[in-house]
């Protein structure tokens, strides 16, 4: 019985690692899309007003910029963010894990 339990645990390790990675990807992609409009408004401001706008929306812009850096590193030059594919893969892996 211990051998079976160990075998199951070994099969779950890569699934858990991939789920952790996918959760991080999805979280950053959602932050990116959520705060993208605020970032665009920030960039459209005149240079003199950008500082005040940044201060009033510091949290949102900081989250956007961090998510953008993360996604740039993850995507390796790809242009589209495959959020739907990541969510589908996460759901599939959760199903495998539960079974």
């Amino acid at each position: 019985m211990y051998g079976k339990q160990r075998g199951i645990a070994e099969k779950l390790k890569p699934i858990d690692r991939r789920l952790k990675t996918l959760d991080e990807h999805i979280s950053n992609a959602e932050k990116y899309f959520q705060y993208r409009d605020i970032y665009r408004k920030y960039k459209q401001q005149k240079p003199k007003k950008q500082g005040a706008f940044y201060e009033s929306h510091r949290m949102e812009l900081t989250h956007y910029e961090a998510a953008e850096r993360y996604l740039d590193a993850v995507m390796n030059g790809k242009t589209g963010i495959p959020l739907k594919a990541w969510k589908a893969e996460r759901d599939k892996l959760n199903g495998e894990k539960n079974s």
Side-chain angles (χ1 to χ4, degrees), residues 4 8-9 11-12 15-16 19 90-99:
K4 288 182 181 179
I8 291 170
K11 289 179 183 177
L12 288 177
I15 293 173
D16 286 337
L19 282 172
R90 180 184 64 182
D91 293 341
K92 178 182 163 232
L93 290 174
N94 276 327
E96 287 179 22
K97 180 180 174 183
N98 291 335
S99 66

Side-chain angles (χ1 to χ4, degrees), residues 10-45:
E10 290 298 319
K11 289 179 183 177
L12 288 177
K13 282 182 184 179
I15 293 173
D16 286 337
R17 279 193 299 258
R18 183 63 182 159
L19 282 172
K20 183 179 176 187
T21 302
L22 284 172
D23 286 340
E24 198 168 340
H25 289 357
I26 292 168
S27 172
N28 279 296
E30 287 174 344
K31 286 178 188 175
Y32 176 83
F33 290 125
Q34 180 181 2
Y35 300 124
R36 181 171 50 182
D37 292 335
I38 294 172
Y39 185 77
R40 285 181 182 161
K41 288 178 185 176
Y42 165 69
K43 285 297 188 180
Q44 290 174 351
Q45 299 289 320

Side-chain angles (χ1 to χ4, degrees), residues 14-87:
I15 293 173
D16 286 337
R17 279 193 299 258
R18 183 63 182 159
L19 282 172
K20 183 179 176 187
T21 302
L22 284 172
D23 286 340
E24 198 168 340
H25 289 357
I26 292 168
S27 172
N28 279 296
E30 287 174 344
K31 286 178 188 175
Y32 176 83
F33 290 125
Q34 180 181 2
Y35 300 124
R36 181 171 50 182
D37 292 335
I38 294 172
Y39 185 77
R40 285 181 182 161
K41 288 178 185 176
Y42 165 69
K43 285 297 188 180
Q44 290 174 351
Q45 299 289 320
K46 294 185 179 182
K48 291 183 180 180
K49 295 183 179 182
Q50 273 187 346
F53 187 87
Y54 190 90
E55 289 303 317
S56 65
H57 298 284
R58 178 184 293 276
M59 183 195 71
E60 295 93 344
L61 293 172
T62 303
H63 281 302
Y64 174 84
E65 291 167 347
E68 184 179 38
R69 282 192 305 271
Y70 176 84
L71 291 171
D72 281 344
V74 168
M75 298 303 292
N76 295 326
K78 295 178 186 172
T79 56
I81 298 173
L83 184 59
K84 288 181 182 178
W86 287 339
K87 286 183 178 182

